[in-house]
Amino acid sequence: MRVLVIGSGAREHALLLALRRDPEVDALAVAPGNAGTASVAEQHDVDVTSADEVVKLAKRTESDLVVIGPEVPLVLGVADALRAAGIACFGPSKDAARIEGSKSFAKDVMDAAGVRTARSEIVDNPARLDAALDRFGPPSGDEAWVVKDDGLAAGKGVVVTADRDTARAHAASLLDSGHPVLLESFLDGPEVSLFCVVDGETVVPLLPAQDFKRVGDGDAGPNTGGMGAYTPLPWLPVEVLTSIVDDVVTPVAAELVARGCPFSGLLYAGLAITSRGPAVVEFNCRFGDPETQAVLALLESPLGQLLHAAAVGELAGQPALRWADGAAVAVVLAAENYPGRPRVGDVITGSDAPGVLHAGTARREDGTVVSSGGRVLSAVGTGADLVAARDAAYAVMAGIRLPGSHFRTDIGLAAAEGRIGV
């Protein structure tokens, strides 16, 4: 099987490494890739948002399966174009990808499916903003205002704050840019990321993970695209995980089928385990980054066969997934000033070591690896338990040097110390 992966992040690097372990995968290509993926797969230049370019590349590489990593090409309908060309694609249609591309659509689906989520309101008129803010946040008894861009924002269009002025400023800036604003009630409790491979109404869950969105230790600072993750979750009871699959993901998948836009690909449920049970924070239509780096590190089942089965409507016939024992931790190294405008072009050393997954990197003609984005690398470690996996991940990180870079030192720490509970 020849597989083409679309994307350029650490998520795609992790996907390629997992696909390479599948005995039925005999050729790998990636577009556009990065300095790390070049050693794993044949690398191609492509505009990932252009359906025509992606289809032409898939034909040129004679790909049997295309795996689309980022959300933007999915929301733009690149998967539809591949299927129309007779090429198997792991990734949802444009209509189904609205589960991530439009938060208002996702809320409507969840309401119809009877899935618990935060109370919400869409604001598309600046004149309505102040009254809407008064209906949310601390004055109404919640712990914070939650202000989101209704569209795609790569994890950085969200502000959670107890300060009304900060909430209002973020909402106003979105409205000034022509983006509708979603206000939500605050959901208490630890968060869970659950990836599920979905083919219509067939749902196959992967290991649950927890990611860390805030830039600094102790969840300080602004939101980012994700600063690290770990899996599995020793504090999450099996029955709660089962209820997430049965009462959240499966009903949403069925509702999308009922609406004529069945989901085929990776459906990612981000949830808060509140005092009243699981509640959805958001849905994504693709593998999440950085959770993918940790989850796939423990996968023993052949990934290519799994994704191909979902792409061609045969997921129900797949055997149960096999996982390695123990835990995995991924820690993200970010460039100076991230999540603001990152400094780029700095030389990175130690980036070719085992356990390093590339994201915002490029390789010069002389072989030197330099930074080219905000989230530069992920350091991944596995071990018999979470403590050992953390030690392994931070040992990998200790061997990397990038001027001005920063990373969190507390990824998975609270869980390893038993400070998280349901």
PDB file of all heavy atoms in Angstrom, residues 150-188:
ATOM      1  N   ASP A 150     -15.972  31.515  16.169  1.00  0.00           N
ATOM      2  CA  ASP A 150     -16.900  30.479  15.701  1.00  0.00           C
ATOM      3  C   ASP A 150     -16.291  29.600  14.614  1.00  0.00           C
ATOM      4  O   ASP A 150     -16.749  28.489  14.384  1.00  0.00           O
ATOM      5  CB  ASP A 150     -18.184  31.124  15.156  1.00  0.00           C
ATOM      6  CG  ASP A 150     -19.215  30.084  14.742  1.00  0.00           C
ATOM      7  OD1 ASP A 150     -19.498  29.178  15.553  1.00  0.00           O
ATOM      8  OD2 ASP A 150     -19.715  30.162  13.608  1.00  0.00           O
ATOM      9  N   GLY A 151     -15.221  30.062  13.966  1.00  0.00           N
ATOM     10  CA  GLY A 151     -14.583  29.272  12.917  1.00  0.00           C
ATOM     11  C   GLY A 151     -13.291  28.640  13.389  1.00  0.00           C
ATOM     12  O   GLY A 151     -13.072  28.435  14.591  1.00  0.00           O
ATOM     13  N   LEU A 152     -12.402  28.321  12.436  1.00  0.00           N
ATOM     14  CA  LEU A 152     -11.130  27.696  12.757  1.00  0.00           C
ATOM     15  C   LEU A 152     -10.173  28.731  13.323  1.00  0.00           C
ATOM     16  O   LEU A 152     -10.070  29.837  12.809  1.00  0.00           O
ATOM     17  CB  LEU A 152     -10.512  27.076  11.509  1.00  0.00           C
ATOM     18  CG  LEU A 152     -11.292  25.932  10.859  1.00  0.00           C
ATOM     19  CD1 LEU A 152     -10.580  25.473   9.601  1.00  0.00           C
ATOM     20  CD2 LEU A 152     -11.448  24.773  11.834  1.00  0.00           C
ATOM     21  N   ALA A 153      -9.440  28.333  14.377  1.00  0.00           N
ATOM     22  CA  ALA A 153      -8.490  29.272  14.982  1.00  0.00           C
ATOM     23  C   ALA A 153      -7.242  28.577  15.487  1.00  0.00           C
ATOM     24  O   ALA A 153      -6.474  29.164  16.228  1.00  0.00           O
ATOM     25  CB  ALA A 153      -9.164  30.041  16.121  1.00  0.00           C
ATOM     26  N   ALA A 154      -7.043  27.308  15.116  1.00  0.00           N
ATOM     27  CA  ALA A 154      -5.827  26.554  15.470  1.00  0.00           C
ATOM     28  C   ALA A 154      -5.565  26.561  16.971  1.00  0.00           C
ATOM     29  O   ALA A 154      -4.432  26.584  17.413  1.00  0.00           O
ATOM     30  CB  ALA A 154      -4.622  27.110  14.710  1.00  0.00           C
ATOM     31  N   GLY A 155      -6.650  26.545  17.771  1.00  0.00           N
ATOM     32  CA  GLY A 155      -6.484  26.469  19.213  1.00  0.00           C
ATOM     33  C   GLY A 155      -6.196  27.799  19.876  1.00  0.00           C
ATOM     34  O   GLY A 155      -6.132  27.879  21.095  1.00  0.00           O
ATOM     35  N   LYS A 156      -6.012  28.863  19.070  1.00  0.00           N
ATOM     36  CA  LYS A 156      -5.617  30.145  19.648  1.00  0.00           C
ATOM     37  C   LYS A 156      -6.706  31.205  19.548  1.00  0.00           C
ATOM     38  O   LYS A 156      -6.467  32.369  19.856  1.00  0.00           O
ATOM     39  CB  LYS A 156      -4.326  30.641  18.977  1.00  0.00           C
ATOM     40  CG  LYS A 156      -3.112  29.790  19.344  1.00  0.00           C
ATOM     41  CD  LYS A 156      -1.849  30.249  18.658  1.00  0.00           C
ATOM     42  CE  LYS A 156      -1.806  29.845  17.217  1.00  0.00           C
ATOM     43  NZ  LYS A 156      -0.524  30.192  16.577  1.00  0.00           N
ATOM     44  N   GLY A 157      -7.913  30.822  19.126  1.00  0.00           N
ATOM     45  CA  GLY A 157      -8.999  31.776  19.047  1.00  0.00           C
ATOM     46  C   GLY A 157      -9.871  31.762  20.286  1.00  0.00           C
ATOM     47  O   GLY A 157     -10.956  32.314  20.294  1.00  0.00           O
ATOM     48  N   VAL A 158      -9.359  31.129  21.356  1.00  0.00           N
ATOM     49  CA  VAL A 158     -10.139  30.948  22.579  1.00  0.00           C
ATOM     50  C   VAL A 158      -9.521  31.750  23.714  1.00  0.00           C
ATOM     51  O   VAL A 158      -8.305  31.718  23.919  1.00  0.00           O
ATOM     52  CB  VAL A 158     -10.190  29.459  22.985  1.00  0.00           C
ATOM     53  CG1 VAL A 158     -11.031  29.282  24.250  1.00  0.00           C
ATOM     54  CG2 VAL A 158     -10.733  28.621  21.845  1.00  0.00           C
ATOM     55  N   VAL A 159     -10.357  32.466  24.441  1.00  0.00           N
ATOM     56  CA  VAL A 159      -9.925  33.142  25.671  1.00  0.00           C
ATOM     57  C   VAL A 159     -10.826  32.683  26.804  1.00  0.00           C
ATOM     58  O   VAL A 159     -12.055  32.728  26.683  1.00  0.00           O
ATOM     59  CB  VAL A 159      -9.977  34.672  25.520  1.00  0.00           C
ATOM     60  CG1 VAL A 159      -9.909  35.349  26.881  1.00  0.00           C
ATOM     61  CG2 VAL A 159      -8.824  35.159  24.653  1.00  0.00           C
ATOM     62  N   VAL A 160     -10.218  32.204  27.877  1.00  0.00           N
ATOM     63  CA  VAL A 160     -10.935  31.822  29.099  1.00  0.00           C
ATOM     64  C   VAL A 160     -10.412  32.716  30.205  1.00  0.00           C
ATOM     65  O   VAL A 160      -9.228  32.650  30.561  1.00  0.00           O
ATOM     66  CB  VAL A 160     -10.703  30.338  29.448  1.00  0.00           C
ATOM     67  CG1 VAL A 160     -11.483  29.972  30.708  1.00  0.00           C
ATOM     68  CG2 VAL A 160     -11.108  29.438  28.291  1.00  0.00           C
ATOM     69  N   THR A 161     -11.261  33.581  30.736  1.00  0.00           N
ATOM     70  CA  THR A 161     -10.779  34.585  31.677  1.00  0.00           C
ATOM     71  C   THR A 161     -11.857  34.979  32.676  1.00  0.00           C
ATOM     72  O   THR A 161     -13.048  34.959  32.347  1.00  0.00           O
ATOM     73  CB  THR A 161     -10.290  35.843  30.917  1.00  0.00           C
ATOM     74  OG1 THR A 161      -9.855  36.831  31.857  1.00  0.00           O
ATOM     75  CG2 THR A 161     -11.397  36.429  30.053  1.00  0.00           C
ATOM     76  N   ALA A 162     -11.417  35.334  33.867  1.00  0.00           N
ATOM     77  CA  ALA A 162     -12.334  35.863  34.878  1.00  0.00           C
ATOM     78  C   ALA A 162     -12.445  37.379  34.789  1.00  0.00           C
ATOM     79  O   ALA A 162     -13.195  37.995  35.552  1.00  0.00           O
ATOM     80  CB  ALA A 162     -11.861  35.460  36.277  1.00  0.00           C
ATOM     81  N   ASP A 163     -11.705  37.981  33.868  1.00  0.00           N
ATOM     82  CA  ASP A 163     -11.697  39.431  33.706  1.00  0.00           C
ATOM     83  C   ASP A 163     -12.608  39.829  32.543  1.00  0.00           C
ATOM     84  O   ASP A 163     -12.352  39.477  31.386  1.00  0.00           O
ATOM     85  CB  ASP A 163     -10.269  39.912  33.447  1.00  0.00           C
ATOM     86  CG  ASP A 163     -10.194  41.425  33.348  1.00  0.00           C
ATOM     87  OD1 ASP A 163     -10.154  42.080  34.395  1.00  0.00           O
ATOM     88  OD2 ASP A 163     -10.196  41.939  32.206  1.00  0.00           O
ATOM     89  N   ARG A 164     -13.656  40.577  32.848  1.00  0.00           N
ATOM     90  CA  ARG A 164     -14.638  40.930  31.829  1.00  0.00           C
ATOM     91  C   ARG A 164     -14.027  41.776  30.717  1.00  0.00           C
ATOM     92  O   ARG A 164     -14.352  41.601  29.536  1.00  0.00           O
ATOM     93  CB  ARG A 164     -15.814  41.679  32.460  1.00  0.00           C
ATOM     94  CG  ARG A 164     -17.008  41.869  31.506  1.00  0.00           C
ATOM     95  CD  ARG A 164     -18.111  42.671  32.191  1.00  0.00           C
ATOM     96  NE  ARG A 164     -19.343  42.654  31.417  1.00  0.00           N
ATOM     97  CZ  ARG A 164     -19.587  43.405  30.350  1.00  0.00           C
ATOM     98  NH1 ARG A 164     -18.650  44.232  29.910  1.00  0.00           N
ATOM     99  NH2 ARG A 164     -20.758  43.329  29.721  1.00  0.00           N
ATOM    100  N   ASP A 165     -13.134  42.698  31.072  1.00  0.00           N
ATOM    101  CA  ASP A 165     -12.526  43.560  30.063  1.00  0.00           C
ATOM    102  C   ASP A 165     -11.723  42.741  29.051  1.00  0.00           C
ATOM    103  O   ASP A 165     -11.746  43.015  27.845  1.00  0.00           O
ATOM    104  CB  ASP A 165     -11.621  44.603  30.722  1.00  0.00           C
ATOM    105  CG  ASP A 165     -12.419  45.647  31.501  1.00  0.00           C
ATOM    106  OD1 ASP A 165     -13.631  45.777  31.243  1.00  0.00           O
ATOM    107  OD2 ASP A 165     -11.821  46.312  32.373  1.00  0.00           O
ATOM    108  N   THR A 166     -11.005  41.726  29.545  1.00  0.00           N
ATOM    109  CA  THR A 166     -10.223  40.870  28.652  1.00  0.00           C
ATOM    110  C   THR A 166     -11.151  40.087  27.728  1.00  0.00           C
ATOM    111  O   THR A 166     -10.887  39.959  26.524  1.00  0.00           O
ATOM    112  CB  THR A 166      -9.355  39.899  29.468  1.00  0.00           C
ATOM    113  OG1 THR A 166      -8.477  40.654  30.302  1.00  0.00           O
ATOM    114  CG2 THR A 166      -8.539  38.987  28.567  1.00  0.00           C
ATOM    115  N   ALA A 167     -12.234  39.555  28.304  1.00  0.00           N
ATOM    116  CA  ALA A 167     -13.201  38.808  27.505  1.00  0.00           C
ATOM    117  C   ALA A 167     -13.823  39.700  26.431  1.00  0.00           C
ATOM    118  O   ALA A 167     -13.949  39.310  25.263  1.00  0.00           O
ATOM    119  CB  ALA A 167     -14.293  38.230  28.406  1.00  0.00           C
ATOM    120  N   ARG A 168     -14.166  40.919  26.834  1.00  0.00           N
ATOM    121  CA  ARG A 168     -14.818  41.826  25.879  1.00  0.00           C
ATOM    122  C   ARG A 168     -13.861  42.230  24.760  1.00  0.00           C
ATOM    123  O   ARG A 168     -14.250  42.301  23.584  1.00  0.00           O
ATOM    124  CB  ARG A 168     -15.335  43.068  26.595  1.00  0.00           C
ATOM    125  CG  ARG A 168     -16.261  43.899  25.713  1.00  0.00           C
ATOM    126  CD  ARG A 168     -16.643  45.233  26.317  1.00  0.00           C
ATOM    127  NE  ARG A 168     -17.699  45.847  25.525  1.00  0.00           N
ATOM    128  CZ  ARG A 168     -17.513  46.389  24.306  1.00  0.00           C
ATOM    129  NH1 ARG A 168     -16.302  46.365  23.754  1.00  0.00           N
ATOM    130  NH2 ARG A 168     -18.533  46.922  23.649  1.00  0.00           N
ATOM    131  N   ALA A 169     -12.610  42.492  25.128  1.00  0.00           N
ATOM    132  CA  ALA A 169     -11.634  42.917  24.120  1.00  0.00           C
ATOM    133  C   ALA A 169     -11.417  41.828  23.075  1.00  0.00           C
ATOM    134  O   ALA A 169     -11.334  42.107  21.868  1.00  0.00           O
ATOM    135  CB  ALA A 169     -10.314  43.281  24.796  1.00  0.00           C
ATOM    136  N   HIS A 170     -11.338  40.567  23.521  1.00  0.00           N
ATOM    137  CA  HIS A 170     -11.137  39.473  22.575  1.00  0.00           C
ATOM    138  C   HIS A 170     -12.354  39.321  21.670  1.00  0.00           C
ATOM    139  O   HIS A 170     -12.220  39.183  20.441  1.00  0.00           O
ATOM    140  CB  HIS A 170     -10.887  38.168  23.329  1.00  0.00           C
ATOM    141  CG  HIS A 170     -10.639  36.994  22.434  1.00  0.00           C
ATOM    142  ND1 HIS A 170      -9.590  36.948  21.537  1.00  0.00           N
ATOM    143  CD2 HIS A 170     -11.317  35.820  22.269  1.00  0.00           C
ATOM    144  CE1 HIS A 170      -9.618  35.800  20.879  1.00  0.00           C
ATOM    145  NE2 HIS A 170     -10.660  35.103  21.295  1.00  0.00           N
ATOM    146  N   ALA A 171     -13.547  39.375  22.261  1.00  0.00           N
ATOM    147  CA  ALA A 171     -14.768  39.247  21.465  1.00  0.00           C
ATOM    148  C   ALA A 171     -14.884  40.389  20.455  1.00  0.00           C
ATOM    149  O   ALA A 171     -15.231  40.180  19.288  1.00  0.00           O
ATOM    150  CB  ALA A 171     -15.980  39.213  22.383  1.00  0.00           C
ATOM    151  N   ALA A 172     -14.571  41.597  20.908  1.00  0.00           N
ATOM    152  CA  ALA A 172     -14.674  42.756  20.017  1.00  0.00           C
ATOM    153  C   ALA A 172     -13.698  42.659  18.857  1.00  0.00           C
ATOM    154  O   ALA A 172     -14.023  43.021  17.716  1.00  0.00           O
ATOM    155  CB  ALA A 172     -14.441  44.041  20.809  1.00  0.00           C
ATOM    156  N   SER A 173     -12.486  42.152  19.127  1.00  0.00           N
ATOM    157  CA  SER A 173     -11.494  42.029  18.057  1.00  0.00           C
ATOM    158  C   SER A 173     -11.946  41.008  17.010  1.00  0.00           C
ATOM    159  O   SER A 173     -11.728  41.193  15.809  1.00  0.00           O
ATOM    160  CB  SER A 173     -10.128  41.641  18.621  1.00  0.00           C
ATOM    161  OG  SER A 173     -10.130  40.325  19.135  1.00  0.00           O
ATOM    162  N   LEU A 174     -12.583  39.922  17.462  1.00  0.00           N
ATOM    163  CA  LEU A 174     -13.106  38.932  16.521  1.00  0.00           C
ATOM    164  C   LEU A 174     -14.218  39.533  15.665  1.00  0.00           C
ATOM    165  O   LEU A 174     -14.248  39.360  14.440  1.00  0.00           O
ATOM    166  CB  LEU A 174     -13.620  37.710  17.280  1.00  0.00           C
ATOM    167  CG  LEU A 174     -12.574  36.840  17.975  1.00  0.00           C
ATOM    168  CD1 LEU A 174     -13.262  35.773  18.818  1.00  0.00           C
ATOM    169  CD2 LEU A 174     -11.642  36.190  16.966  1.00  0.00           C
ATOM    170  N   LEU A 175     -15.129  40.243  16.313  1.00  0.00           N
ATOM    171  CA  LEU A 175     -16.234  40.857  15.580  1.00  0.00           C
ATOM    172  C   LEU A 175     -15.729  41.896  14.582  1.00  0.00           C
ATOM    173  O   LEU A 175     -16.221  41.997  13.459  1.00  0.00           O
ATOM    174  CB  LEU A 175     -17.228  41.481  16.555  1.00  0.00           C
ATOM    175  CG  LEU A 175     -18.045  40.489  17.396  1.00  0.00           C
ATOM    176  CD1 LEU A 175     -18.771  41.214  18.524  1.00  0.00           C
ATOM    177  CD2 LEU A 175     -19.042  39.738  16.516  1.00  0.00           C
ATOM    178  N   ASP A 176     -14.711  42.668  14.996  1.00  0.00           N
ATOM    179  CA  ASP A 176     -14.142  43.674  14.089  1.00  0.00           C
ATOM    180  C   ASP A 176     -13.515  43.030  12.863  1.00  0.00           C
ATOM    181  O   ASP A 176     -13.440  43.652  11.799  1.00  0.00           O
ATOM    182  CB  ASP A 176     -13.078  44.504  14.828  1.00  0.00           C
ATOM    183  CG  ASP A 176     -13.693  45.461  15.841  1.00  0.00           C
ATOM    184  OD1 ASP A 176     -14.912  45.689  15.779  1.00  0.00           O
ATOM    185  OD2 ASP A 176     -12.944  45.972  16.699  1.00  0.00           O
ATOM    186  N   SER A 177     -13.065  41.772  13.015  1.00  0.00           N
ATOM    187  CA  SER A 177     -12.455  41.046  11.902  1.00  0.00           C
ATOM    188  C   SER A 177     -13.494  40.317  11.054  1.00  0.00           C
ATOM    189  O   SER A 177     -13.136  39.584  10.124  1.00  0.00           O
ATOM    190  CB  SER A 177     -11.431  40.037  12.434  1.00  0.00           C
ATOM    191  OG  SER A 177     -10.422  40.679  13.170  1.00  0.00           O
ATOM    192  N   GLY A 178     -14.760  40.477  11.419  1.00  0.00           N
ATOM    193  CA  GLY A 178     -15.821  39.826  10.662  1.00  0.00           C
ATOM    194  C   GLY A 178     -16.102  38.400  11.087  1.00  0.00           C
ATOM    195  O   GLY A 178     -16.776  37.664  10.372  1.00  0.00           O
ATOM    196  N   HIS A 179     -15.598  37.998  12.269  1.00  0.00           N
ATOM    197  CA  HIS A 179     -15.795  36.642  12.757  1.00  0.00           C
ATOM    198  C   HIS A 179     -16.890  36.623  13.820  1.00  0.00           C
ATOM    199  O   HIS A 179     -16.786  37.331  14.833  1.00  0.00           O
ATOM    200  CB  HIS A 179     -14.502  36.103  13.389  1.00  0.00           C
ATOM    201  CG  HIS A 179     -13.400  35.898  12.412  1.00  0.00           C
ATOM    202  ND1 HIS A 179     -12.703  34.722  12.328  1.00  0.00           N
ATOM    203  CD2 HIS A 179     -12.870  36.708  11.467  1.00  0.00           C
ATOM    204  CE1 HIS A 179     -11.786  34.824  11.386  1.00  0.00           C
ATOM    205  NE2 HIS A 179     -11.873  36.023  10.851  1.00  0.00           N
ATOM    206  N   PRO A 180     -17.932  35.815  13.650  1.00  0.00           N
ATOM    207  CA  PRO A 180     -18.904  35.651  14.725  1.00  0.00           C
ATOM    208  C   PRO A 180     -18.231  35.091  15.981  1.00  0.00           C
ATOM    209  O   PRO A 180     -17.257  34.345  15.895  1.00  0.00           O
ATOM    210  CB  PRO A 180     -19.922  34.659  14.150  1.00  0.00           C
ATOM    211  CG  PRO A 180     -19.740  34.742  12.678  1.00  0.00           C
ATOM    212  CD  PRO A 180     -18.291  35.047  12.458  1.00  0.00           C
ATOM    213  N   VAL A 181     -18.764  35.448  17.127  1.00  0.00           N
ATOM    214  CA  VAL A 181     -18.197  35.042  18.419  1.00  0.00           C
ATOM    215  C   VAL A 181     -19.118  34.029  19.076  1.00  0.00           C
ATOM    216  O   VAL A 181     -20.344  34.181  19.056  1.00  0.00           O
ATOM    217  CB  VAL A 181     -18.032  36.272  19.335  1.00  0.00           C
ATOM    218  CG1 VAL A 181     -17.679  35.848  20.759  1.00  0.00           C
ATOM    219  CG2 VAL A 181     -16.972  37.205  18.777  1.00  0.00           C
ATOM    220  N   LEU A 182     -18.522  32.994  19.659  1.00  0.00           N
ATOM    221  CA  LEU A 182     -19.274  32.027  20.449  1.00  0.00           C
ATOM    222  C   LEU A 182     -18.946  32.248  21.915  1.00  0.00           C
ATOM    223  O   LEU A 182     -17.784  32.149  22.322  1.00  0.00           O
ATOM    224  CB  LEU A 182     -18.901  30.596  20.054  1.00  0.00           C
ATOM    225  CG  LEU A 182     -19.655  29.489  20.809  1.00  0.00           C
ATOM    226  CD1 LEU A 182     -21.073  29.343  20.266  1.00  0.00           C
ATOM    227  CD2 LEU A 182     -18.918  28.159  20.706  1.00  0.00           C
ATOM    228  N   LEU A 183     -19.952  32.571  22.721  1.00  0.00           N
ATOM    229  CA  LEU A 183     -19.800  32.646  24.177  1.00  0.00           C
ATOM    230  C   LEU A 183     -20.297  31.351  24.784  1.00  0.00           C
ATOM    231  O   LEU A 183     -21.340  30.829  24.373  1.00  0.00           O
ATOM    232  CB  LEU A 183     -20.602  33.816  24.753  1.00  0.00           C
ATOM    233  CG  LEU A 183     -20.243  35.216  24.269  1.00  0.00           C
ATOM    234  CD1 LEU A 183     -21.134  36.240  24.958  1.00  0.00           C
ATOM    235  CD2 LEU A 183     -18.777  35.529  24.528  1.00  0.00           C
ATOM    236  N   GLU A 184     -19.545  30.815  25.751  1.00  0.00           N
ATOM    237  CA  GLU A 184     -19.927  29.564  26.390  1.00  0.00           C
ATOM    238  C   GLU A 184     -19.859  29.691  27.900  1.00  0.00           C
ATOM    239  O   GLU A 184     -19.064  30.474  28.435  1.00  0.00           O
ATOM    240  CB  GLU A 184     -18.999  28.419  25.965  1.00  0.00           C
ATOM    241  CG  GLU A 184     -19.221  27.898  24.580  1.00  0.00           C
ATOM    242  CD  GLU A 184     -18.373  26.665  24.303  1.00  0.00           C
ATOM    243  OE1 GLU A 184     -17.338  26.474  24.968  1.00  0.00           O
ATOM    244  OE2 GLU A 184     -18.759  25.891  23.422  1.00  0.00           O
ATOM    245  N   SER A 185     -20.658  28.865  28.568  1.00  0.00           N
ATOM    246  CA  SER A 185     -20.511  28.738  30.013  1.00  0.00           C
ATOM    247  C   SER A 185     -19.253  27.927  30.305  1.00  0.00           C
ATOM    248  O   SER A 185     -18.821  27.104  29.497  1.00  0.00           O
ATOM    249  CB  SER A 185     -21.734  28.046  30.619  1.00  0.00           C
ATOM    250  OG  SER A 185     -21.928  26.769  30.028  1.00  0.00           O
ATOM    251  N   PHE A 186     -18.664  28.172  31.447  1.00  0.00           N
ATOM    252  CA  PHE A 186     -17.418  27.490  31.827  1.00  0.00           C
ATOM    253  C   PHE A 186     -17.728  26.078  32.308  1.00  0.00           C
ATOM    254  O   PHE A 186     -18.662  25.861  33.083  1.00  0.00           O
ATOM    255  CB  PHE A 186     -16.729  28.285  32.940  1.00  0.00           C
ATOM    256  CG  PHE A 186     -15.437  27.681  33.400  1.00  0.00           C
ATOM    257  CD1 PHE A 186     -14.267  27.864  32.672  1.00  0.00           C
ATOM    258  CD2 PHE A 186     -15.381  26.930  34.572  1.00  0.00           C
ATOM    259  CE1 PHE A 186     -13.076  27.311  33.103  1.00  0.00           C
ATOM    260  CE2 PHE A 186     -14.192  26.378  34.999  1.00  0.00           C
ATOM    261  CZ  PHE A 186     -13.030  26.566  34.265  1.00  0.00           C
ATOM    262  N   LEU A 187     -16.923  25.104  31.839  1.00  0.00           N
ATOM    263  CA  LEU A 187     -17.070  23.718  32.270  1.00  0.00           C
ATOM    264  C   LEU A 187     -15.954  23.379  33.243  1.00  0.00           C
ATOM    265  O   LEU A 187     -14.777  23.499  32.898  1.00  0.00           O
ATOM    266  CB  LEU A 187     -17.024  22.766  31.067  1.00  0.00           C
ATOM    267  CG  LEU A 187     -18.165  22.906  30.052  1.00  0.00           C
ATOM    268  CD1 LEU A 187     -17.902  22.015  28.848  1.00  0.00           C
ATOM    269  CD2 LEU A 187     -19.498  22.555  30.693  1.00  0.00           C
ATOM    270  N   ASP A 188     -16.315  22.965  34.443  1.00  0.00           N
ATOM    271  CA  ASP A 188     -15.301  22.615  35.433  1.00  0.00           C
ATOM    272  C   ASP A 188     -14.819  21.179  35.198  1.00  0.00           C
ATOM    273  O   ASP A 188     -15.403  20.424  34.437  1.00  0.00           O
ATOM    274  CB  ASP A 188     -15.864  22.741  36.848  1.00  0.00           C
ATOM    275  CG  ASP A 188     -16.992  21.741  37.113  1.00  0.00           C
ATOM    276  OD1 ASP A 188     -17.720  21.418  36.160  1.00  0.00           O
ATOM    277  OD2 ASP A 188     -17.148  21.303  38.264  1.00  0.00           O
TER     278      ASP A 188
END
